[in-house]
Amino acid sequence: MTEKKYLKWYHKVGYGSGDIAGNVVYALLSSFVMIYLTDTIGLNSGIIGTLMMFSKLFDGVTDIFFGSMIDKTKSKFGKARPWMFWAYFGCAAMIIAIFTIPVSLGAISQYIWFFLAYTSLNAVFYTANNIAYSALTSLITKNNSERVQMGSIRFIFAFGTSLLIQTITVDAVEIFGGGALGWRTVAIIYSLIGLIVNTISVFSVKELQEDTPQKTSIETMESKEKEETYTLVDTIKLLLANKFYIIICCIYILSQIFTATLNMGIYFMTYILLDASLLGVFSLAINIPLICGLIFTPILVKKFNGMYKLNLIGYVIASLARGLVIVAAYQGNLPFMLFFSAIASLGMSPLQGDLNALIASCSEYTFLTKQKRIDGTMFSCTSLGVKIGGGIGTALSGWLLAASGYIPNAVNQPHSCITMLYIMYLWIPMIINIIISILLSRLKVEQKLHILHNNQGENKQ
Protein backbone atom coordinates (compact mmCIF):
# COMPACT_ATOMS: atom_id res chain seq x y z
CA MET A 1 0.00 0.00 0.00
CA THR A 2 1.42 3.38 -1.09
CA GLU A 3 1.53 6.08 1.59
CA LYS A 4 -0.24 9.34 0.87
CA LYS A 5 2.10 12.20 -0.05
CA TYR A 6 1.63 15.56 1.62
CA LEU A 7 4.55 17.72 0.48
CA LYS A 8 6.00 19.21 -2.70
CA TRP A 9 9.75 19.57 -3.14
CA TYR A 10 9.63 23.28 -2.22
CA HIS A 11 7.90 22.48 1.08
CA LYS A 12 10.73 20.12 2.00
CA VAL A 13 13.43 22.60 0.98
CA GLY A 14 11.63 25.45 2.75
CA TYR A 15 11.35 23.41 5.92
CA GLY A 16 14.96 22.24 5.74
CA SER A 17 16.27 25.79 5.31
CA GLY A 18 15.11 26.50 8.86
CA ASP A 19 18.21 24.73 10.13
CA ILE A 20 20.31 27.50 8.62
CA ALA A 21 18.77 29.74 11.25
CA GLY A 22 19.27 27.20 14.02
CA ASN A 23 22.92 26.62 13.15
CA VAL A 24 23.73 30.28 12.72
CA VAL A 25 23.15 30.34 16.48
CA TYR A 26 24.37 26.87 17.44
CA ALA A 27 27.52 26.62 15.28
CA LEU A 28 28.74 30.06 16.32
CA LEU A 29 28.09 29.29 19.98
CA SER A 30 29.51 25.78 20.06
CA SER A 31 32.58 26.41 17.93
CA PHE A 32 33.71 29.83 19.12
CA VAL A 33 32.15 30.94 22.39
CA MET A 34 34.85 29.37 24.55
CA ILE A 35 37.81 30.83 22.68
CA TYR A 36 36.01 34.20 22.47
CA LEU A 37 35.47 34.23 26.23
CA THR A 38 38.97 33.04 27.14
CA ASP A 39 41.15 34.79 24.56
CA THR A 40 39.18 37.99 23.82
CA ILE A 41 37.30 38.76 27.05
CA GLY A 42 39.90 37.09 29.30
CA LEU A 43 37.59 34.90 31.38
CA ASN A 44 38.62 31.66 33.06
CA SER A 45 37.64 28.51 31.14
CA GLY A 46 36.92 26.54 34.32
CA ILE A 47 34.51 29.17 35.66
CA ILE A 48 32.83 29.39 32.25
CA GLY A 49 32.37 25.63 32.23
CA THR A 50 30.83 25.74 35.72
CA LEU A 51 28.42 28.50 34.70
CA MET A 52 27.38 26.53 31.63
CA MET A 53 26.76 23.45 33.72
CA PHE A 54 24.77 25.41 36.32
CA SER A 55 22.73 26.90 33.48
CA LYS A 56 21.58 23.39 32.57
CA LEU A 57 19.61 23.23 35.83
CA PHE A 58 17.25 25.79 34.30
CA ASP A 59 17.28 24.08 30.91
CA GLY A 60 16.23 20.73 32.31
CA VAL A 61 12.64 21.77 33.01
CA THR A 62 11.95 23.98 30.00
CA ASP A 63 12.18 21.41 27.21
CA ILE A 64 9.21 19.32 28.28
CA PHE A 65 7.35 22.49 29.35
CA PHE A 66 7.60 24.09 25.90
CA GLY A 67 6.83 20.77 24.21
CA SER A 68 3.68 20.53 26.29
CA MET A 69 2.78 24.16 25.47
CA ILE A 70 3.15 23.45 21.75
CA ASP A 71 0.84 20.42 22.09
CA LYS A 72 -1.80 22.65 23.73
CA THR A 73 -1.47 25.56 21.28
CA LYS A 74 -4.36 26.24 18.90
CA SER A 75 -4.03 29.03 16.34
CA LYS A 76 -4.69 29.70 12.68
CA PHE A 77 -0.97 29.13 12.08
CA GLY A 78 -1.06 25.75 13.83
CA LYS A 79 0.61 24.44 16.97
CA ALA A 80 4.33 24.79 16.27
CA ARG A 81 4.82 27.57 13.74
CA PRO A 82 3.93 30.49 16.06
CA TRP A 83 6.51 29.29 18.60
CA MET A 84 9.15 28.78 15.94
CA PHE A 85 8.59 32.27 14.53
CA TRP A 86 8.46 34.44 17.64
CA ALA A 87 11.09 32.59 19.68
CA TYR A 88 13.80 33.27 17.11
CA PHE A 89 13.73 37.00 17.82
CA GLY A 90 14.89 36.14 21.33
CA CYS A 91 17.56 33.79 19.91
CA ALA A 92 18.95 36.58 17.76
CA ALA A 93 19.00 39.07 20.63
CA MET A 94 20.73 36.67 23.04
CA ILE A 95 23.45 35.49 20.63
CA ILE A 96 24.31 39.15 20.05
CA ALA A 97 24.33 39.75 23.81
CA ILE A 98 26.75 36.85 24.39
CA PHE A 99 29.21 38.21 21.84
CA THR A 100 28.95 41.82 23.00
CA ILE A 101 30.12 41.47 26.60
CA PRO A 102 31.66 44.89 27.39
CA VAL A 103 35.41 44.56 27.91
CA SER A 104 35.27 47.51 30.29
CA LEU A 105 33.13 45.64 32.82
CA GLY A 106 34.65 43.97 35.84
CA ALA A 107 35.16 40.21 35.68
CA ILE A 108 32.23 39.40 37.99
CA SER A 109 29.86 41.53 35.91
CA GLN A 110 31.11 39.85 32.74
CA TYR A 111 30.44 36.40 34.17
CA ILE A 112 26.91 37.50 35.22
CA TRP A 113 26.27 39.03 31.77
CA PHE A 114 27.33 35.81 30.06
CA PHE A 115 25.34 33.57 32.39
CA LEU A 116 22.09 35.51 31.98
CA ALA A 117 22.37 35.75 28.18
CA TYR A 118 23.48 32.12 27.80
CA THR A 119 20.70 30.80 30.05
CA SER A 120 18.01 32.93 28.37
CA LEU A 121 19.14 31.74 24.96
CA ASN A 122 19.21 28.05 25.84
CA ALA A 123 16.47 27.67 28.44
CA VAL A 124 13.87 29.86 26.75
CA PHE A 125 14.26 31.04 23.18
CA TYR A 126 16.33 28.30 21.53
CA THR A 127 14.24 25.67 23.32
CA ALA A 128 10.92 27.02 22.03
CA ASN A 129 12.23 27.55 18.50
CA ASN A 130 14.01 24.21 18.16
CA ILE A 131 11.25 22.03 19.61
CA ALA A 132 8.67 23.72 17.41
CA TYR A 133 10.85 23.33 14.34
CA SER A 134 11.50 19.65 15.02
CA ALA A 135 7.84 18.95 15.81
CA LEU A 136 6.86 20.15 12.34
CA THR A 137 8.30 16.88 11.02
CA SER A 138 5.30 15.15 12.53
CA LEU A 139 2.78 17.97 12.03
CA ILE A 140 3.11 18.69 8.29
CA THR A 141 3.18 15.11 7.00
CA LYS A 142 2.24 11.60 8.10
CA ASN A 143 4.36 9.98 5.39
CA ASN A 144 7.46 8.33 6.85
CA SER A 145 9.45 8.59 3.59
CA GLU A 146 8.77 12.32 3.49
CA ARG A 147 9.92 12.60 7.11
CA VAL A 148 13.23 10.94 6.23
CA GLN A 149 13.62 13.26 3.23
CA MET A 150 12.87 16.29 5.41
CA GLY A 151 15.43 15.16 7.95
CA SER A 152 18.08 14.69 5.26
CA ILE A 153 17.40 18.08 3.67
CA ARG A 154 17.30 19.73 7.08
CA PHE A 155 20.70 18.41 8.09
CA ILE A 156 22.23 19.17 4.70
CA PHE A 157 21.42 22.80 5.47
CA ALA A 158 22.58 22.35 9.07
CA PHE A 159 25.98 20.90 8.26
CA GLY A 160 26.42 23.22 5.28
CA THR A 161 25.85 26.18 7.60
CA SER A 162 28.20 24.77 10.23
CA LEU A 163 30.83 24.21 7.55
CA LEU A 164 30.52 27.78 6.32
CA ILE A 165 30.61 29.30 9.80
CA GLN A 166 33.59 27.23 10.92
CA THR A 167 35.41 28.12 7.70
CA ILE A 168 34.85 31.87 7.49
CA THR A 169 34.29 33.10 11.05
CA VAL A 170 37.91 33.47 12.15
CA ASP A 171 38.76 35.49 9.03
CA ALA A 172 35.49 37.44 9.24
CA VAL A 173 36.28 38.54 12.80
CA GLU A 174 39.62 39.91 11.61
CA ILE A 175 38.05 41.63 8.59
CA PHE A 176 35.61 43.45 10.87
CA GLY A 177 38.34 44.79 13.14
CA GLY A 178 39.31 41.79 15.26
CA GLY A 179 38.88 41.47 19.01
CA ALA A 180 35.59 42.36 20.67
CA LEU A 181 34.49 44.59 17.77
CA GLY A 182 34.99 41.82 15.23
CA TRP A 183 33.04 39.25 17.27
CA ARG A 184 30.18 41.71 17.87
CA THR A 185 29.85 42.55 14.18
CA VAL A 186 29.90 38.91 13.11
CA ALA A 187 27.25 38.00 15.72
CA ILE A 188 24.95 40.78 14.50
CA ILE A 189 25.30 39.74 10.84
CA TYR A 190 24.68 36.06 11.63
CA SER A 191 21.63 36.93 13.73
CA LEU A 192 20.05 38.98 10.96
CA ILE A 193 20.62 36.16 8.47
CA GLY A 194 19.03 33.74 10.93
CA LEU A 195 15.94 35.93 11.37
CA ILE A 196 15.37 36.13 7.63
CA VAL A 197 15.79 32.41 6.97
CA ASN A 198 13.72 31.35 10.00
CA THR A 199 10.84 33.51 8.77
CA ILE A 200 11.04 32.00 5.28
CA SER A 201 11.00 28.49 6.76
CA VAL A 202 7.99 29.19 8.99
CA PHE A 203 5.84 30.42 6.11
CA SER A 204 6.96 27.79 3.58
CA VAL A 205 4.91 25.00 5.18
CA LYS A 206 1.43 24.48 6.65
CA GLU A 207 0.46 22.18 9.47
CA LEU A 208 -2.14 19.49 8.85
CA GLN A 209 -5.54 19.65 10.49
CA GLU A 210 -5.65 17.75 13.78
CA ASP A 211 -8.23 15.32 12.47
CA THR A 212 -6.07 14.23 9.51
CA PRO A 213 -6.41 10.45 9.34
CA GLN A 214 -3.33 8.29 9.75
CA LYS A 215 -2.52 4.96 8.27
CA THR A 216 -2.14 3.34 11.66
CA SER A 217 -4.81 5.09 13.70
CA ILE A 218 -8.30 3.99 14.68
CA GLU A 219 -11.19 6.48 14.52
CA THR A 220 -12.34 5.77 18.05
CA MET A 221 -8.83 6.28 19.36
CA GLU A 222 -8.57 9.65 17.62
CA SER A 223 -11.90 10.76 19.04
CA LYS A 224 -10.87 9.74 22.52
CA GLU A 225 -7.55 11.54 22.11
CA LYS A 226 -9.26 14.84 21.21
CA GLU A 227 -11.55 14.69 24.22
CA GLU A 228 -8.79 13.96 26.74
CA THR A 229 -6.54 16.46 28.41
CA TYR A 230 -3.55 15.59 30.53
CA THR A 231 -1.19 17.45 32.77
CA LEU A 232 2.55 18.05 32.44
CA VAL A 233 3.11 15.26 34.98
CA ASP A 234 1.02 12.89 32.83
CA THR A 235 3.07 13.89 29.80
CA ILE A 236 6.36 13.20 31.59
CA LYS A 237 5.07 9.78 32.61
CA LEU A 238 4.20 9.04 28.97
CA LEU A 239 7.72 10.00 27.89
CA LEU A 240 9.40 7.89 30.55
CA ALA A 241 7.20 4.92 29.65
CA ASN A 242 8.59 5.00 26.09
CA LYS A 243 11.99 3.27 26.24
CA PHE A 244 12.75 4.30 22.68
CA TYR A 245 12.37 7.96 23.64
CA ILE A 246 14.89 7.44 26.45
CA ILE A 247 17.36 5.80 24.06
CA ILE A 248 17.02 8.61 21.52
CA CYS A 249 17.48 11.21 24.27
CA CYS A 250 20.71 9.52 25.31
CA ILE A 251 21.90 9.31 21.69
CA TYR A 252 21.07 12.97 21.13
CA ILE A 253 22.91 14.07 24.28
CA LEU A 254 25.96 11.96 23.45
CA SER A 255 26.08 13.17 19.84
CA GLN A 256 26.02 16.78 21.05
CA ILE A 257 28.83 16.10 23.54
CA PHE A 258 30.71 14.57 20.60
CA THR A 259 30.15 17.72 18.56
CA ALA A 260 31.07 20.04 21.44
CA THR A 261 34.39 18.30 22.08
CA LEU A 262 35.13 18.14 18.36
CA ASN A 263 34.41 21.86 18.17
CA MET A 264 37.33 22.41 20.51
CA GLY A 265 39.34 21.72 17.36
CA ILE A 266 40.16 25.44 17.24
CA TYR A 267 42.48 24.81 20.21
CA PHE A 268 43.89 21.61 18.64
CA MET A 269 44.64 23.42 15.37
CA THR A 270 46.14 26.44 17.11
CA TYR A 271 48.39 24.75 19.66
CA ILE A 272 49.15 21.29 18.22
CA LEU A 273 48.92 21.63 14.44
CA LEU A 274 50.07 25.28 14.83
CA ASP A 275 47.65 26.64 12.22
CA ALA A 276 44.21 27.89 13.27
CA SER A 277 43.10 28.05 9.62
CA LEU A 278 43.18 24.23 9.53
CA LEU A 279 39.85 24.33 11.38
CA GLY A 280 38.24 25.17 8.05
CA VAL A 281 40.07 22.29 6.32
CA PHE A 282 38.91 19.79 8.94
CA SER A 283 35.42 21.27 8.78
CA LEU A 284 35.40 20.51 5.06
CA ALA A 285 36.61 16.95 5.69
CA ILE A 286 33.88 16.41 8.29
CA ASN A 287 30.90 18.23 6.79
CA ILE A 288 31.19 17.49 3.06
CA PRO A 289 30.91 13.68 3.62
CA LEU A 290 28.02 14.29 6.03
CA ILE A 291 26.19 16.30 3.39
CA CYS A 292 26.91 13.68 0.70
CA GLY A 293 25.69 10.93 2.99
CA LEU A 294 22.51 12.85 3.78
CA ILE A 295 21.71 13.17 0.09
CA PHE A 296 21.63 9.38 -0.24
CA THR A 297 20.06 8.58 3.15
CA PRO A 298 16.44 8.35 1.88
CA ILE A 299 17.58 5.91 -0.86
CA LEU A 300 19.62 3.86 1.60
CA VAL A 301 16.72 3.67 4.09
CA LYS A 302 14.61 2.06 1.36
CA LYS A 303 17.44 -0.28 0.35
CA PHE A 304 17.94 -1.43 3.95
CA ASN A 305 14.14 -1.71 4.48
CA GLY A 306 14.26 0.73 7.35
CA MET A 307 16.58 2.78 9.51
CA TYR A 308 17.80 0.29 12.10
CA LYS A 309 20.50 -1.66 10.21
CA LEU A 310 21.64 1.39 8.25
CA ASN A 311 22.19 3.49 11.38
CA LEU A 312 23.93 0.72 13.29
CA ILE A 313 26.32 -0.24 10.47
CA GLY A 314 27.07 3.43 9.85
CA TYR A 315 28.07 4.07 13.46
CA VAL A 316 30.21 0.95 13.68
CA ILE A 317 32.13 2.25 10.65
CA ALA A 318 32.34 5.70 12.25
CA SER A 319 33.75 4.25 15.49
CA LEU A 320 36.46 2.34 13.64
CA ALA A 321 37.33 5.39 11.55
CA ARG A 322 37.63 7.64 14.63
CA GLY A 323 40.09 5.10 16.03
CA LEU A 324 42.19 5.43 12.88
CA VAL A 325 42.06 9.23 13.21
CA ILE A 326 43.77 8.78 16.58
CA VAL A 327 46.48 6.58 15.07
CA ALA A 328 47.11 9.10 12.28
CA ALA A 329 47.23 12.01 14.74
CA TYR A 330 49.91 10.43 16.92
CA GLN A 331 51.92 9.69 13.77
CA GLY A 332 51.58 13.31 12.69
CA ASN A 333 49.94 12.24 9.42
CA LEU A 334 47.59 15.11 8.52
CA PRO A 335 46.24 13.64 5.23
CA PHE A 336 45.25 10.39 6.99
CA MET A 337 43.61 12.38 9.80
CA LEU A 338 41.50 14.21 7.23
CA PHE A 339 40.70 11.00 5.30
CA PHE A 340 39.53 8.98 8.28
CA SER A 341 37.63 11.99 9.69
CA ALA A 342 35.73 12.00 6.40
CA ILE A 343 35.00 8.25 6.59
CA ALA A 344 33.73 8.65 10.16
CA SER A 345 31.41 11.47 9.12
CA LEU A 346 30.08 9.43 6.21
CA GLY A 347 29.22 6.62 8.63
CA MET A 348 27.42 9.01 10.97
CA SER A 349 25.35 10.68 8.23
CA PRO A 350 22.37 8.25 8.00
CA LEU A 351 21.41 8.77 11.65
CA GLN A 352 21.60 12.53 11.22
CA GLY A 353 19.21 12.30 8.29
CA ASP A 354 16.61 9.95 9.74
CA LEU A 355 16.71 10.91 13.43
CA ASN A 356 13.57 13.08 13.21
CA ALA A 357 11.77 10.22 11.49
CA LEU A 358 12.81 7.96 14.39
CA ILE A 359 11.40 10.47 16.88
CA ALA A 360 8.15 10.59 14.91
CA SER A 361 8.07 6.78 15.09
CA CYS A 362 8.54 7.02 18.87
CA SER A 363 5.59 9.41 19.03
CA GLU A 364 3.51 6.96 17.00
CA TYR A 365 4.55 4.17 19.38
CA THR A 366 3.22 6.17 22.36
CA PHE A 367 -0.02 6.85 20.50
CA LEU A 368 -0.57 3.20 19.60
CA THR A 369 0.30 1.88 23.07
CA LYS A 370 -1.15 4.67 25.26
CA GLN A 371 -3.75 6.23 22.92
CA LYS A 372 -2.35 9.71 23.58
CA ARG A 373 -0.60 11.96 21.08
CA ILE A 374 2.19 14.20 22.36
CA ASP A 375 4.12 15.13 19.22
CA GLY A 376 5.44 18.46 20.48
CA THR A 377 6.60 17.03 23.79
CA MET A 378 8.13 13.98 22.11
CA PHE A 379 10.34 16.27 20.02
CA SER A 380 11.57 17.93 23.21
CA CYS A 381 14.45 15.44 23.06
CA THR A 382 15.91 17.44 20.16
CA SER A 383 16.23 20.61 22.22
CA LEU A 384 17.04 18.65 25.38
CA GLY A 385 19.85 16.85 23.59
CA VAL A 386 21.29 19.96 21.97
CA LYS A 387 21.29 21.98 25.17
CA ILE A 388 22.28 19.37 27.73
CA GLY A 389 24.70 17.56 25.43
CA GLY A 390 26.17 20.75 24.02
CA GLY A 391 26.28 22.35 27.45
CA ILE A 392 27.95 19.35 29.08
CA GLY A 393 30.40 19.05 26.21
CA THR A 394 31.38 22.72 26.25
CA ALA A 395 31.47 22.83 30.05
CA LEU A 396 33.58 19.66 30.15
CA SER A 397 35.96 21.22 27.65
CA GLY A 398 36.28 24.31 29.83
CA TRP A 399 36.98 22.25 32.94
CA LEU A 400 39.53 20.08 31.17
CA LEU A 401 41.30 23.09 29.70
CA ALA A 402 41.49 24.75 33.12
CA ALA A 403 42.66 21.53 34.80
CA SER A 404 45.37 21.06 32.18
CA GLY A 405 46.89 24.48 32.85
CA TYR A 406 45.80 26.17 29.61
CA ILE A 407 47.28 29.67 29.19
CA PRO A 408 45.23 31.99 26.91
CA ASN A 409 47.19 33.28 23.90
CA ALA A 410 50.42 31.58 25.01
CA VAL A 411 52.80 30.67 22.20
CA ASN A 412 53.72 27.41 23.94
CA GLN A 413 51.20 25.55 26.09
CA PRO A 414 52.35 23.28 28.95
CA HIS A 415 52.77 19.56 28.17
CA SER A 416 49.73 18.75 30.34
CA CYS A 417 47.56 21.00 28.15
CA ILE A 418 48.84 19.41 24.94
CA THR A 419 48.03 15.95 26.31
CA MET A 420 44.54 17.12 27.26
CA LEU A 421 43.88 18.53 23.79
CA TYR A 422 44.62 15.09 22.32
CA ILE A 423 42.14 13.54 24.76
CA MET A 424 39.44 16.12 24.03
CA TYR A 425 39.71 16.18 20.25
CA LEU A 426 40.56 12.53 19.59
CA TRP A 427 39.74 10.07 22.37
CA ILE A 428 36.44 11.40 23.71
CA PRO A 429 34.75 11.48 20.25
CA MET A 430 35.76 7.87 19.54
CA ILE A 431 34.49 6.63 22.91
CA ILE A 432 31.17 8.43 22.40
CA ASN A 433 30.72 6.86 18.95
CA ILE A 434 31.20 3.39 20.45
CA ILE A 435 28.55 4.07 23.12
CA ILE A 436 26.10 5.38 20.51
CA SER A 437 26.65 2.21 18.45
CA ILE A 438 25.63 0.12 21.46
CA LEU A 439 22.51 2.24 22.02
CA LEU A 440 21.54 2.00 18.35
CA SER A 441 21.59 -1.79 18.63
CA ARG A 442 18.68 -1.43 21.11
CA LEU A 443 16.66 1.09 19.08
CA LYS A 444 14.16 -1.30 17.44
CA VAL A 445 11.17 1.03 17.33
CA GLU A 446 10.41 0.24 13.67
CA GLN A 447 10.06 -3.46 14.44
CA LYS A 448 7.72 -2.72 17.36
CA LEU A 449 5.55 -0.45 15.19
CA HIS A 450 5.33 -3.14 12.53
CA ILE A 451 4.01 -5.60 15.13
CA LEU A 452 1.50 -3.04 16.46
CA HIS A 453 0.26 -2.26 12.94
CA ASN A 454 -0.25 -5.93 12.21
CA ASN A 455 -2.14 -6.41 15.47
CA GLN A 456 -4.39 -3.45 14.64
CA GLY A 457 -5.10 -4.88 11.22
CA GLU A 458 -6.12 -8.20 12.74
CA ASN A 459 -8.36 -6.48 15.31
CA LYS A 460 -10.10 -4.42 12.63
CA GLN A 461 -10.88 -7.62 10.73
Side-chain angles (χ1 to χ4, degrees):
M1 180 177 174
T2 303
E3 285 187 280
K4 177 183 176 181
K5 294 184 178 180
Y6 296 84
L7 304 173
K8 303 292 186 182
W9 68 266
Y10 48 83
H11 294 132
K12 301 171 191 175
V13 173
Y15 168 80
S17 69
D19 235 339
I20 295 176
N23 276 274
V24 161
V25 170
Y26 181 70
L28 179 62
L29 194 67
S30 61
S31 296
F32 298 106
V33 71
M34 184 65 76
I35 202 164
Y36 158 74
L37 293 172
T38 58
D39 290 22
T40 299
I41 304 301
L43 301 182
N44 179 274
S45 61
I47 296 176
I48 295 167
T50 302
L51 290 176
M52 288 179 172
M53 200 65 223
F54 187 66
S55 175
K56 299 305 134 185
L57 297 177
F58 296 93
D59 287 357
V61 298
T62 60
D63 296 275
I64 296 175
F65 169 77
F66 278 113
S68 179
M69 291 297 293
I70 290 169
D71 285 329
K72 296 175 182 178
T73 297
K74 296 183 184 294
S75 76
K76 63 180 181 180
F77 293 114
K79 292 175 174 290
R81 290 199 303 157
W83 291 92
M84 180 180 169
F85 178 71
W86 291 109
Y88 199 87
F89 287 90
C91 289
M94 290 304 102
I95 200 68
I96 292 173
I98 289 172
F99 283 90
T100 56
I101 298 175
V103 294
S104 59
L105 286 179
I108 294 178
S109 297
Q110 289 174 332
Y111 285 122
I112 293 173
W113 180 300
F114 167 72
F115 178 77
L116 292 176
Y118 181 81
T119 302
S120 297
L121 171 65
N122 285 287
V124 181
F125 301 113
Y126 186 83
T127 297
N129 174 267
N130 186 259
I131 293 177
Y133 177 55
S134 297
L136 284 176
T137 303
S138 182
L139 296 172
I140 65 178
T141 178
K142 302 299 179 183
N143 185 304
N144 202 54
S145 295
E146 289 182 335
R147 288 170 175 170
V148 173
Q149 292 167 8
M150 288 166 60
S152 294
I153 294 170
R154 167 186 178 176
F155 283 103
I156 287 172
F157 280 110
F159 293 122
T161 304
S162 294
L163 168 61
L164 186 62
I165 287 178
Q166 290 172 358
T167 303
I168 71 172
T169 297
V170 172
D171 290 335
V173 169
E174 294 303 316
I175 290 172
F176 290 113
L181 173 62
W183 285 111
R184 179 170 67 246
T185 305
V186 166
I188 291 171
I189 292 172
Y190 287 175
S191 296
L192 291 175
I193 293 172
L195 276 172
I196 293 170
V197 178
N198 186 74
T199 301
I200 292 172
S201 182
V202 167
F203 291 100
S204 67
V205 295
K206 288 185 65 176
E207 296 179 33
L208 301 175
Q209 296 296 318
E210 289 187 60
D211 59 352
T212 300
Q214 298 186 67
K215 176 184 175 183
T216 60
S217 62
I218 300 175
E219 288 184 5
T220 55
M221 289 168 63
E222 289 182 333
S223 176
K224 181 179 179 182
E225 176 202 1
K226 293 176 188 177
E227 293 172 1
E228 288 183 324
T229 58
Y230 33 96
T231 65
L232 182 60
V233 174
D234 294 329
T235 302
I236 293 173
K237 289 180 179 178
L238 287 171
L239 292 177
L240 295 178
N242 189 328
K243 64 179 180 181
F244 301 116
Y245 172 83
I246 302 299
I247 292 174
I248 287 181
C249 268
C250 292
I251 290 173
Y252 227 111
I253 290 170
L254 287 168
S255 65
Q256 294 303 314
I257 296 174
F258 171 96
T259 301
T261 55
L262 210 61
N263 282 338
M264 292 299 105
I266 184 66
Y267 291 94
F268 192 88
M269 309 306 159
T270 301
Y271 297 109
I272 294 179
L273 300 182
L274 305 179
D275 186 356
S277 65
L278 282 174
L279 179 67
V281 178
F282 272 85
S283 183
L284 283 168
I286 292 169
N287 287 290
I288 293 298
L290 274 171
I291 293 170
C292 292
L294 288 168
I295 292 172
F296 293 101
T297 293
I299 299 172
L300 291 172
V301 169
K302 289 184 179 180
K303 184 175 179 63
F304 279 81
N305 294 317
M307 298 174 275
Y308 175 75
K309 288 184 179 178
L310 176 62
N311 292 335
L312 181 56
I313 292 171
Y315 254 83
V316 169
I317 293 172
S319 300
L320 293 172
R322 288 306 309 177
L324 292 172
V325 171
I326 295 174
V327 174
Y330 280 105
Q331 291 180 343
N333 193 320
L334 183 60
F336 273 24
M337 283 186 69
L338 292 168
F339 175 75
F340 288 118
S341 293
I343 297 299
S345 292
L346 195 62
M348 293 167 60
S349 60
L351 181 64
Q352 306 301 320
D354 61 36
L355 189 54
N356 272 14
L358 281 172
I359 299 171
S361 295
C362 285
S363 184
E364 191 71 11
Y365 178 78
T366 292
F367 177 58
L368 293 174
T369 56
K370 304 295 183 181
Q371 291 76 57
K372 295 180 185 292
R373 183 164 294 287
I374 50 172
D375 293 312
T377 315
M378 188 66 66
F379 277 90
S380 67
C381 65
T382 60
S383 176
L384 189 71
V386 169
K387 294 190 310 177
I388 293 182
I392 290 174
T394 307
L396 180 64
S397 300
W399 292 332
L400 294 177
L401 279 176
S404 71
Y406 171 72
I407 304 171
N409 297 308
V411 176
N412 296 308
Q413 294 293 339
H415 178 72
S416 58
C417 179
I418 298 299
T419 300
M420 186 61 74
L421 291 177
Y422 274 97
I423 293 172
M424 290 164 57
Y425 188 69
L426 300 174
W427 287 97
I428 293 177
M430 184 195 70
I431 293 169
I432 289 175
N433 271 1
I434 292 172
I435 297 172
I436 290 177
S437 298
I438 295 170
L439 290 172
L440 285 172
S441 71
R442 310 295 299 172
L443 189 56
K444 299 181 179 181
V445 63
E446 293 170 287
Q447 293 91 321
K448 289 292 184 181
L449 283 180
H450 181 70
I451 293 171
L452 290 170
H453 294 337
N454 289 339
N455 290 342
Q456 274 197 357
E458 291 174 3
N459 292 334
K460 289 173 72 174
Q461 293 175 2

